[in-house]
């Protein structure tokens, strides 16, 4: 979870993630974790800036051969 997603937007100052969206995200992550657990896997959840968290996780795991990510598209007005 990137703390910057819970701040105001750069255009209008509205929160990017309000209470209803946050509840949906938390419930979705919980459900995904439970589903993966039933299949013998797990889900790593971290809070922080992705550029820091991913680097630290790679260091912690030691042997990572690939990392996939996406970048949020920002609308330019």
């Amino acid at each position: 979870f990137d703390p910057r997603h819970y701040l105001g937007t750069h255009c209008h100052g509205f929160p990017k993630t309000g209470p209803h969206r946050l509840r949906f995200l938390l419930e979705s992550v919980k459900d995904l974790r439970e589903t993966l657990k039933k299949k013998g896997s797990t889900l790593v959840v971290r809070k922080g800036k992705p550029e820091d968290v991913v680097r630290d996780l790679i260091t912690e795991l030691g042997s990572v051969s690939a990392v996939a990510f996406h970048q949020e598209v920002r609308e330019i007005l």
Side-chain angles (χ1 to χ4, degrees):
F1 290 95
D2 186 341
R4 296 172 290 197
H5 286 210
Y6 307 94
L7 304 174
T9 60
H10 63 281
C11 293
H12 305 289
F14 295 108
K16 290 179 76 167
T17 305
H20 300 292
R21 183 175 183 191
L22 178 59
R23 183 178 318 115
F24 172 78
L25 288 171
L26 293 173
E27 290 172 357
S28 297
V29 168
K30 180 180 177 185
D31 183 64
L32 177 58
R33 177 179 269 159
E34 290 171 0
T35 300
L36 289 170
K37 188 176 180 180
K38 289 176 187 175
K39 296 182 180 288
S41 190
T42 189
L43 178 66
V44 176
V45 178
R46 300 286 163 91
K47 175 185 168 191
K49 293 180 180 179
E51 57 270 27
D52 298 330
V53 171
V54 172
R55 181 195 63 234
D56 295 345
L57 188 57
I58 290 170
T59 301
E60 181 183 323
L61 294 173
S63 61
V64 175
S65 59
V67 176
F69 66 94
H70 78 278
Q71 183 174 355
E72 180 178 355
V73 176
R74 292 187 178 186
E75 182 178 337
I76 299 175
L77 300 175

